Amino acid sequence: MSKSALITGITGQDGSYLAELLLEKNYQVHGLVRRSSTFSTERIDHIYRDVHDQGSHLHLHYGDLTDGQALTNLVLKLEPDEIYNLGAQSHVRVSYDQPVYTLQTVGVGALNVLEAAKLLNQQKPVRVYQASSSEMYGKVLETPQNETTPFNPQSPYACAKAYAFFQTVNYRRGYDLFASNGILFNHESERRGETFVTRKITRAAGRIKAGLQDKLYLGNMDAKRDWGYAKDYVEGMWRMLQHDEPEDFVLATGRTESVRDFCRLVFEQLGLNYEDHVEIDPRYFRPAEVDLLLGDASKAKEKLGWVATTDLEELARIMTQHDYDLAQREAHAKTFVPG
């Protein structure tokens, strides 16, 4: 009998890749989707089309992480074997402008998931994955960062993630719930939202190469991050819930590069010099910056057999090619005049 999983944040970057992975493993996949006046399912539309003719194993349900009662009702109705909590207001800079909303979705939302899982766990076993973040390390107290490195959050988003992390540990200890935190360092892809810096860079570079724009405005280009490919990282999420015991794991590449380095990589792949096109805009600086993140995923390698398989150069190539193709189609649409 196939397993079933509930994914919050299924329409996001990670949710879409995780849904693909679980469907490949013959799961019944349920996704939580916020009701909106516009469609937000473009990242999973292709999955829906692919499985529709075969008797769909993908099911979407309207809901919101901040509505604890409705979420509990859904979890008790679906009785999933696994719950992956990926939903959140996940933009660090935006969290400074919307700190309460960020806490509600990231922190209280996680608590609502855990409470629903606790109730289901009284009827049948369920395993919970909580999407934690390297941003919790903030102004880092040691390098590299691993599962025992103290958190020192530098943003409302990071504080909310730390709250969710410790609630997950609390429910694991207090209620014997199989609940694991995945402390994921930056993971990117061609499905990354266009307001996140890596996608902002590849999108702009493609448009500049296609003649659609001339400048790209960025904030702190000296911030260093440990960047991996989201498609690799969802495999790690799944492995955490197949492990014998619930534990917390860092997923990272073990390599750190600056925003400037990533920018140089992307523009060079298109035969461009980033210095000719990139300008600094103070509006994009954070009130408190996280200068350096570098993860040590030794525990995940040892216990889960997980390693990041896509290096930064390949990640930049994948994203740059995708966004240059997108820009070329955009340019063609602008010049095409129907006969």
Side-chain angles (χ1 to χ4, degrees):
M1 184 176 178
S2 64
K3 289 184 178 180
S4 65
L6 172 63
I7 304 172
T8 73
I10 194 172
T11 59
Q13 170 190 253
D14 293 5
S16 66
Y17 282 121
L18 180 60
E20 287 178 337
L21 177 71
L22 296 181
L23 287 167
E24 288 171 4
K25 296 180 181 297
N26 202 35
Y27 276 65
Q28 290 283 338
V29 176
H30 299 269
L32 191 70
V33 181
R34 281 181 298 171
R35 180 70 179 90
S36 171
S37 58
T38 57
F39 290 111
S40 59
T41 59
E42 61 271 9
R43 291 187 181 94
I44 58 172
D45 283 344
H46 68 287
I47 311 174
Y48 218 78
R49 288 194 301 269
D50 290 345
V51 300
H52 187 266
D53 294 335
Q54 305 163 19
S56 178
H57 293 283
L58 176 63
H59 315 273
L60 302 182
H61 308 269
Y62 286 123
D64 195 295
L65 284 171
T66 62
D67 188 345
Q69 186 59 61
L71 183 61
T72 294
N73 292 344
L74 181 64
V75 167
L76 294 179
K77 175 185 175 183
L78 297 177
E79 297 187 342
D81 299 296
E82 299 169 1
I83 300 175
Y84 296 85
N85 183 34
L86 312 183
Q89 188 301 99
S90 59
H91 199 286
V92 176
R93 182 62 189 84
V94 170
S95 77
Y96 286 100
D97 301 321
Q98 296 183 303
V100 175
Y101 176 68
T102 300
L103 176 61
Q104 288 172 338
T105 58
V106 175
V108 178
L111 182 60
N112 287 336
V113 170
L114 291 164
E115 187 64 16
K118 181 190 77 173
L119 294 174
L120 175 59
N121 204 48
Q122 294 170 2
Q123 303 174 18
K124 59 157 285 187
V126 60
R127 297 188 172 197
V128 179
Y129 171 84
Q130 168 59 29
S132 291
S133 169
S134 60
E135 287 287 332
M136 300 185 301
Y137 296 119
K139 192 172 181 62
V140 297
L141 301 176
E142 65 180 32
T143 298
Q145 298 87 51
N146 60 30
E147 294 82 3
T148 63
T149 302
F151 299 145
N152 192 20
Q154 289 277 92
S155 67
Y157 169 77
C159 290
K161 279 293 187 184
Y163 172 90
F165 175 94
F166 285 115
Q167 287 290 9
T168 301
V169 173
N170 179 53
Y171 272 68
R172 182 168 71 217
R173 292 173 178 170
Y175 302 109
D176 197 28
L177 179 67
F178 193 113
S180 296
N181 285 291
I183 308 172
L184 271 58
F185 282 64
N186 291 65
H187 46 291
E188 317 296 319
S189 76
E190 63 274 31
R191 298 182 191 175
R192 189 60 142 149
E194 293 184 16
T195 60
F196 291 85
V197 67
T198 51
R199 187 76 197 287
K200 185 177 179 181
I201 291 169
T202 58
R203 191 77 174 91
R207 297 187 87 250
I208 290 168
K209 180 68 174 180
L212 295 171
Q213 71 182 70
D214 185 54
K215 294 293 182 182
L216 165 62
Y217 297 94
L218 295 173
N220 180 14
M221 294 186 68
D222 296 316
K224 291 186 174 182
R225 294 293 183 270
D226 184 325
W227 276 308
Y229 189 27
K231 198 169 184 178
D232 293 342
Y233 284 53
V234 298
E235 171 77 23
M237 297 176 188
W238 175 78
R239 290 192 183 200
M240 288 181 210
L241 295 197
Q242 314 316 307
H243 191 48
D244 293 339
E245 299 292 335
E247 297 184 55
D248 306 320
F249 292 92
V250 162
L251 298 187
T253 68
R255 170 185 174 184
T256 187
E257 300 288 352
S258 69
V259 173
R260 190 183 308 277
D261 293 329
F262 185 81
C263 213
R264 183 183 296 111
L265 265 178
V266 169
F267 277 78
E268 284 179 352
Q269 292 198 17
L270 294 172
L272 301 170
N273 183 349
Y274 81 95
E275 293 177 331
D276 296 334
H277 302 281
V278 176
E279 294 186 8
I280 302 300
D281 188 334
R283 291 180 302 170
Y284 296 117
F285 286 114
R286 299 178 184 178
E289 184 57 76
V290 174
D291 298 316
L292 168 67
L293 292 174
L294 175 61
D296 175 5
S298 300
K299 180 181 176 183
K301 180 179 181 180
E302 177 189 347
K303 292 194 171 186
L304 305 178
W306 181 90
V307 292
T309 58
T310 307
D311 64 23
L312 187 61
E313 287 76 14
E314 177 64 7
L315 173 62
R317 187 198 67 76
I318 292 169
M319 295 179 65
T320 302
Q321 187 60 57
H322 175 276
D323 283 343
Y324 181 45
D325 291 345
L326 191 62
Q328 287 181 305
R329 292 196 296 273
E330 190 179 347
H332 178 73
K334 284 180 178 291
T335 58
F336 178 70
V337 179

